[in-house]
């Protein structure tokens, strides 16, 4: 057994007054005690008197196949399997070193991440969707998930389940990084989306829908999805959150992952700005829109879209939490829940990680300083433990 102690601690839903001593045996948390508790005999303790102890962070939206460079997604089809494997390995390493111990991969290339998901070693826990379901020529078509029609979509969902997917990702609208797709148009009919949801739920899998356009967000809600990625609510003339949509998302229990978490000082590439301008919006519209979703009671997740470009590198959940707090008005404890316990539930791992609690995986982060005073301390991990193993930082 060994212990980790800090005078401040967050357990996945709330701050624990006086901090905590977390006891770990093998890969599991066996006790969460007040920081003042006497340490059991012979139990080594890692003490961080100027740190904050939390569950390891969870990123609910990453692309491990993306190297975070300017051509991150565009280059993928040109890579051989060795190059792709090296990129995924580096992405996992960068993720863990940032204190992110679990990721949900929502943009796999032909199942590469999916097929690696169970591998042992020093890597985050990976929940993978496989290639996102998309219409022919639709958003991220080159990832290998082009499918159309109710029967083929049902079949594609079954294939993913058989291959070990933990979630189904469907591209309900076009996307910024796929030229020729329409951000504001729906890629699937309501009947098709309902078939995806029905088949996935029959197999015990949640469905999350990529939706930039307002019409795609509304159709995804009608189809009964479990989560919505981006949820940008774009129309041809900017961002529009209709009265009642936020409440409908909240009432349906749909988790919205708005993919915030922008690396400060990194400008988005000009073609991204141009794509947004073409629908009457700017990138800067997004954070106030997320604030409005929050005020409407929507449950947010702190996924980042990590790996897709220089402003979106791997392991940036700490920046997403900071964006939620400083730019979207989300209280700190709720923003941290969005990066821990709620994210774990969205990954189907709510009984396994995302909490400081006995019986949970020993996924831990000790952040620098008092995060209740300075949330940027999350960006400076002091200790990271993944399934009981301390990560070399
Ligand atoms: Zn994405």
């Amino acid at each position: 057994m060994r212990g980790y102690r800090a005078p401040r601690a967050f357990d996945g839903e709330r701050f624990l007054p006086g901090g905590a001593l977390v006891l770990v045996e093998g890969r599991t948390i066996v006790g969460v005690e007040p920081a003042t508790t006497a340490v059991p005999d012979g139990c080594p303790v890692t003490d961080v008197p100027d740190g904050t102890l939390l569950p390891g962070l969870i990123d609910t939206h990453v692309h491990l196949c993306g190297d975070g460079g300017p051509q991150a997604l565009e280059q993928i089809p040109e890579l051989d399997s060795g190059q792709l494997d090296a990129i995924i390995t580096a992405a996992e390493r960068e993720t863990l070193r940032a204190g992110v111990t679990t990721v949900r991969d929502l943009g796999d290339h032909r199942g590469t991440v999916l097929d690696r998901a169970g591998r042992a070693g020093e890597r985050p826990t990976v929940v993978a969707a496989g290639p996102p379901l998309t219409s022919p020529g639709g958003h991220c078509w080159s990832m290998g998930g082009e499918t159309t029609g109710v029967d083929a979509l049902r079949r594609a969902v079954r294939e993913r389940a058989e291959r070990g997917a933990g979630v189904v990702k469907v591209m309900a609208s076009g996307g910024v990084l796929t030229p020729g797709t329409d951000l504001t148009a729906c890629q699937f009919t309501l009947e098709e989306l309902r078939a995806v949801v029905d088949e996935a739920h029959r197999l015990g899998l949640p469905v999350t829908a990529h939706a930039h356009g307002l019409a795609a967000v509304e159709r995804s809600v009608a189809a009964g999805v479990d989560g919505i990625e981006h949820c940008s609510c774009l129309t041809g003339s900017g961002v529009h959150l209709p009265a009642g949509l936020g409440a409908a998302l909240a009432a349906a229990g749909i988790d919205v992952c708005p993919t915030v978490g922008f690396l400060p000082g990194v400008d988005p590439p000009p073609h991204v700005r141009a794509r947004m301008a073409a629908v009457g919006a700017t990138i800067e519209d997004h954070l106030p829109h997320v604030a409005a979703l929050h005020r409407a009671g929507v449950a947010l997740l702190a996924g980042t879209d990590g790996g897709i470009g220089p402003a979106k590198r791997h392991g940036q959940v700490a920046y997403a939490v900071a964006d939620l707090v400083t730019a979207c008005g989300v209280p700190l404890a709720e923003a941290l829940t969005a990066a821990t316990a709620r994210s774990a539930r969205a990954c189907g791992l709510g009984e396994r990680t995302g909490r400081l609690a006995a019986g949970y995986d020993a996924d831990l982060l000790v952040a620098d300083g008092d995060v209740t005073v300075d949330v940027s301390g999350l960006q400076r991990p002091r200790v990271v433990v993944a399934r009981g193993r301390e990560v070399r930082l």
Side-chain angles (χ1 to χ4, degrees):
M1 187 159 65
R2 63 171 301 117
Y4 296 88
R5 181 164 53 195
R8 286 160 293 268
F10 177 80
D11 74 352
E13 282 192 336
R14 64 192 183 94
F15 281 94
L16 303 174
L21 167 67
V22 172
L23 298 169
V24 172
E25 184 112 52
R27 55 175 285 157
T28 308
I29 296 173
V30 293
V32 180
E33 311 286 345
T36 49
T37 307
V39 176
D41 273 350
C43 174
V45 171
T46 302
D47 243 320
V48 188
D50 56 346
T52 305
L53 182 53
L54 311 101
L57 302 179
I58 298 171
D59 195 330
T60 52
H61 188 140
V62 303
H63 297 261
L64 291 173
C65 292
D67 70 356
Q71 296 294 317
L73 295 189
E74 292 86 338
Q75 72 177 0
I76 294 173
E78 318 299 326
L79 303 173
D80 64 36
S81 61
Q83 290 169 315
L84 195 53
D85 212 56
I87 286 172
I88 297 170
T89 300
E92 290 176 341
R93 178 96 202 104
E94 199 177 348
T95 298
L96 264 190
R97 291 184 61 182
V100 178
T101 51
T102 301
V103 294
R104 186 171 70 164
D105 187 282
L106 295 182
D108 197 354
H109 184 71
R110 304 192 179 278
T112 315
V113 173
L114 192 52
D115 291 344
R116 289 171 46 117
R119 261 192 220 181
E122 189 175 281
R123 46 199 301 272
T125 299
V126 178
V127 174
L133 299 170
T134 194
S135 55
H139 182 42
C140 291
W141 61 269
S142 69
M143 291 176 181
E146 289 173 291
T147 317
T148 186
V150 163
D151 292 341
L153 284 163
R154 284 187 182 274
R155 201 160 47 241
V157 170
R158 288 197 295 276
E159 281 165 13
R160 282 157 179 74
E162 280 160 21
R163 212 164 160 183
V167 58
V168 172
K169 165 94 177 284
V170 59
M171 302 299 202
S173 78
V176 178
L177 295 181
T178 310
T181 64
D182 185 342
L183 290 177
T184 61
C186 292
Q187 295 201 154
F188 292 106
T189 65
L190 178 56
E191 190 194 8
E192 287 174 317
L193 285 184
R194 279 191 172 140
V196 169
V197 171
D198 182 63
E199 194 68 22
H201 286 181
R202 200 177 63 76
L203 296 163
L205 294 179
V207 175
T208 195
H210 156 107
H212 279 304
L214 174 60
V217 171
E218 292 177 324
R219 190 168 288 180
S220 298
V221 175
V225 300
D226 305 279
I228 295 182
E229 306 302 308
H230 315 302
C231 200
S232 316
C233 296
L234 297 174
T235 67
S237 53
V239 176
H240 177 53
L241 180 60
L245 179 57
L249 287 160
I254 294 172
D255 292 319
V256 168
C257 176
T259 57
V260 297
F262 298 94
L263 213 53
V266 182
D267 269 341
H271 65 276
V272 171
R273 288 209 172 275
R275 292 276 280 156
M276 297 299 284
V279 293
T282 68
I283 291 162
E284 287 72 20
D285 294 336
H286 192 53
L287 289 173
H289 168 63
V290 176
L293 289 169
H294 165 66
R295 287 194 300 273
V298 176
L300 301 174
L301 300 176
T304 65
D305 229 344
I308 64 163
K312 291 286 188 181
R313 299 193 58 84
H314 290 285
Q316 280 182 221
V317 182
Y319 294 89
V321 172
D323 278 348
L324 289 176
V325 171
T326 59
C328 305
V330 179
L332 176 63
E334 192 180 337
L336 290 172
T337 296
T340 55
R342 184 183 296 147
S343 286
R345 274 197 300 276
C347 291
L349 300 174
E351 309 292 313
R352 223 183 93 184
T353 189
R355 284 178 191 275
L356 301 185
Y360 276 66
D361 278 359
D363 293 332
L364 307 176
L365 163 65
V366 185
D368 189 42
D370 180 351
V371 302
T372 65
V373 173
D374 177 10
V375 70
S376 80
L378 281 180
Q379 296 157 18
R380 298 183 298 277
R382 300 279 296 276
V383 179
V384 178
V385 179
R387 283 159 290 154
R389 274 167 62 162
E390 252 175 70
V391 174
R392 283 168 286 118
L393 298 181

